[in-house]
Amino acid sequence: QVQLVESGGGLVQAGGSLRLSCAASGRTFSSYVMGWFRQAPGKEREFVAAIRWSGDMTKYANSVKGRFTISRDNAKSTVYLQMNNLKPEDTAVYYCARDKWLRTILSGLIDDYAYWGQGTQVTVSS
């Protein structure tokens, strides 16, 4: 059974930074693509970033490119999302997720992810 637990959310002013963490259980963490998604009130869940199992390839939504950085530490079974220059439109619940399949491509599709955390709230004030 895979369990994902996010942490690091909070309230921050526009222009500030936060680092989210997602701790995973299960021995196969290091073999899978991991992703971050977010869902703002009244909106659908959307892709934010993904990282390959080796950490050598990443993918970002255009809205966060250049401001957010995804990384992982396989020894700690943890994936991170460093968020800089935050904007009010980044306000959302942020979720980490594990890919369904053992593969190298980075998907931004919700249906390609099998396991999800409970989410952590990020609120950016203007």
Side-chain angles (χ1 to χ4, degrees):
Q1 184 72 7
V2 176
Q3 289 189 323
L4 304 174
V5 179
E6 302 96 337
S7 61
L11 173 64
V12 64
Q13 289 188 332
S17 298
L18 283 174
R19 188 174 85 151
L20 305 184
S21 300
C22 172
S25 65
R27 294 175 294 174
T28 58
F29 169 84
S30 61
S31 302
Y32 288 87
V33 167
M34 296 294 296
W36 284 97
F37 291 76
R38 67 186 181 186
Q39 188 165 17
K43 295 188 176 181
E44 293 185 351
R45 193 169 298 189
E46 65 176 6
F47 170 74
V48 175
I51 186 167
R52 201 157 70 171
W53 67 270
S54 55
D56 63 344
M57 184 175 288
T58 57
K59 176 177 179 174
Y60 297 93
N62 288 336
S63 59
V64 306
K65 206 170 290 183
R67 299 187 298 122
F68 290 12
T69 303
I70 188 172
S71 61
R72 65 191 296 163
D73 184 338
N74 289 336
K76 295 181 178 180
S77 297
T78 301
V79 62
Y80 305 96
L81 185 68
Q82 177 67 43
M83 306 185 295
N84 298 329
N85 191 22
L86 282 159
K87 304 176 181 181
E89 51 264 42
D90 295 318
T91 294
V93 177
Y94 283 71
Y95 300 89
C96 70
R98 199 207 80 177
D99 199 337
K100 282 182 182 176
W101 315 108
L102 280 171
R103 55 183 174 177
T104 57
I105 63 170
L106 301 177
S107 172
L109 301 177
I110 292 172
D111 288 345
D112 283 344
Y113 290 81
Y115 298 95
W116 295 82
Q118 83 290 347
T120 185
Q121 176 71 47
V122 171
T123 303
V124 184
S125 64
S126 57

